[in-house]
Amino acid sequence: MFASTFLTNLHLIVSNFLITLCILSVLFYCYAIYAAINFFADPQPIDLEFHPPVSILKPICGLDSNAYENLASFCQQDYPKYQIIFAVQNSEDPCIEVVEKIIYNFSELDISLIVSDRVIGTNLKVSNLANAATKAKYEILVLADSDIRVGRDYLQRVIQPFQDESVGVVTCMYRTLAQGWISILEAIATTTEFHAGVLVSNIKENGIKFAFGSTIAIPKKVLEAIGGFEAIADYLADDFQIGYLPVQAGYKVVLSDYIVEHVQISNNLVDAIRRQIRWACGKRVSRPWGYVGLIFTYGVVSSLLLLIATDGSILGWLGLSICWITRLVMAWVVGTISLKDPIVKKFLWLVPVCDLFSFAIWCFGLIGNTIEWRGQQLKLTKDGKLIVQEDKSYELSIKVLTNRGA
């Protein structure tokens, strides 16, 4: 009798919890729709007379898909004065040949290549950036990963917020040009889930407090105020820190309405899982409570569990219908209307599948603090730093790939 009562009460508690999760998920989806419409409804003003000289820093490691087209897009800016500095650590890196071709084809531009094995921390991408910065001539630095592609108006639009001296960092969202089914699933998740959360955060917190590797524009004085690249050289989520630290120093981070393109090659499922878990771990250590709060955004999962828990009841089907419809509408508004992502427009029906995949990654991201990077075992500390593992034995190891452009 006691066991029967206990199971009944437990079932009721679980059902009520799932109902709560479904309601909160629907509210999040609605808020994301509002945030997207609000953000893009009022375009950021452009002053064509404001064009301070800019130094673009491009950290490179290995050969990305469409590498020449990606890097060359930064050489075709409708902007009066800028320089580009490519930085690589290995003198045998195959990307050097591509960079040399770019330097030759755009000989009228101020482009240079830095080959240096100087390391300032465990994050080799940051070391590349630090090496490139030594040759930067101008006050405003623009950092962008090697797999990013931009249009001719990129610089002109990205630097506009710096007319306000309180602005310390400008960053951009991105849409992915995916090749292959695995990359398509990742692209849909990024556009309709990750960026939805960014837009909500931007309006809820009156501006974001982090940045993305797709584009980070930062004046030298702001970088110096946070301790230079050395201050973020040991962090896994270096892009988060380069946005977060200036906020702590009293500056603002502005989310630009310019959307860059991320070119992602087709890869296998194992590589995708490793990369996604790495990103999940980075999010968890950077914003632990925000990471836990993501549970309230997985309405597709919550509604499925509710349907199962209620044995296919009318309530279960109602919850599933409302959650899935609202989720698809949010994905359409954020992905297709706001970010103009062709992948989302074509494969909207895959959104629930992406959510199931993302939820599994979220669960994995809750555990584990050891990653493998370039043959080294590195431990992820609570504050997001990477330290070399002296002891090779460990109970749980999550192997991940290095950052693009590391």
Side-chain angles (χ1 to χ4, degrees), residues 3-301:
S4 177
T5 302
F6 173 77
L7 290 176
T8 300
N9 290 336
L10 179 61
H11 181 269
L12 183 62
I13 291 173
V14 171
S15 297
N16 288 336
F17 176 68
L18 292 172
I19 290 172
T20 302
L21 287 182
C22 289
I23 292 174
L24 292 175
S25 295
V26 170
L27 292 176
F28 170 79
Y29 298 153
C30 292
Y31 197 25
I33 292 171
Y34 165 74
I37 294 174
N38 181 75
F39 182 76
F40 288 98
D42 187 18
Q44 296 171 356
I46 299 177
D47 180 2
L48 296 179
E49 298 304 315
F50 180 74
H51 40 67
V54 171
S55 294
I56 301 176
L57 311 185
K58 298 288 291 184
I60 309 177
C61 178
L63 212 53
D64 293 318
S65 177
N66 302 307
Y68 181 86
E69 290 79 5
N70 297 342
L71 301 179
S73 68
F74 287 83
C75 305
Q76 300 167 331
Q77 296 299 299
D78 291 331
Y79 201 78
K81 193 172 186 179
Y82 66 99
Q83 71 168 151
I84 303 176
I85 308 169
F86 296 101
V88 63
Q89 290 214 332
N90 187 351
S91 60
E92 301 298 323
D93 197 304
C95 71
I96 292 178
E97 183 178 350
V98 175
V99 173
E100 290 176 341
K101 182 179 179 181
I102 286 177
I103 292 175
Y104 177 81
N105 290 342
F106 296 92
S107 57
E108 74 282 4
L109 296 180
D110 184 358
I111 306 176
S112 57
L113 170 64
I114 304 296
V115 181
S116 173
D117 59 1
R118 182 177 73 106
V119 174
I120 64 172
T122 49
N123 189 322
L124 299 181
K125 171 186 171 183
V126 178
S127 292
N128 263 345
L129 288 170
N131 294 337
T134 60
K135 300 297 182 180
K137 300 176 181 178
Y138 307 122
E139 171 62 18
I140 296 180
L141 306 178
V142 175
L143 328 175
D145 289 344
S146 59
D147 53 3
I148 297 300
R149 187 179 300 176
V150 298
R152 290 180 175 272
D153 58 342
Y154 166 72
L155 279 183
Q156 184 66 68
R157 290 178 58 182
V158 166
I159 55 87
Q160 290 299 314
F162 289 119
Q163 295 180 74
D164 180 352
E165 293 188 358
S166 66
V167 173
V169 174
V170 179
T171 192
C172 298
M173 293 183 288
Y174 55 93
R175 52 178 171 260
T176 300
L177 302 179
Q179 302 172 15
W181 283 103
I182 301 302
S183 296
I184 287 173
L185 289 175
E186 288 188 277
I188 293 173
T190 297
T191 301
T192 70
E193 179 189 329
F194 176 69
H195 285 321
V198 170
L199 290 168
V200 168
S201 179
N202 187 57
I203 193 170
K204 181 182 176 182
E205 301 179 12
N206 193 29
I208 61 175
K209 297 175 174 59
F210 45 87
F212 317 118
S214 54
T215 286
I216 300 174
I218 182 171
K220 285 182 179 179
K221 65 178 183 181
V222 177
L223 185 61
E224 292 169 0
I226 66 172
F229 285 116
E230 288 77 9
I232 62 171
D234 291 319
Y235 283 93
L236 172 63
D238 55 279
D239 49 358
F240 174 89
Q241 292 296 331
I242 207 169
Y244 175 76
L245 293 178
V247 172
Q248 307 310 303
Y251 292 96
K252 294 190 297 186
V253 176
V254 172
L255 181 64
S256 173
D257 59 3
Y258 187 88
I259 311 299
V260 301
E261 293 181 334
H262 168 233
V263 182
Q264 183 168 309
I265 62 173
S266 178
N267 48 46
N268 60 58
L269 182 59
V270 174
D271 288 344
I273 290 175
R274 288 174 176 173
R275 179 170 54 253
Q276 291 297 325
I277 290 178
R278 182 202 76 203
W279 289 346
C281 290
K283 295 175 189 175
R284 188 197 75 215
V285 296
S286 297
R287 304 185 72 184
W289 287 111
Y291 188 79
V292 173
L294 290 176
I295 186 64
F296 301 118
T297 69
Y298 293 114
V300 167
V301 178

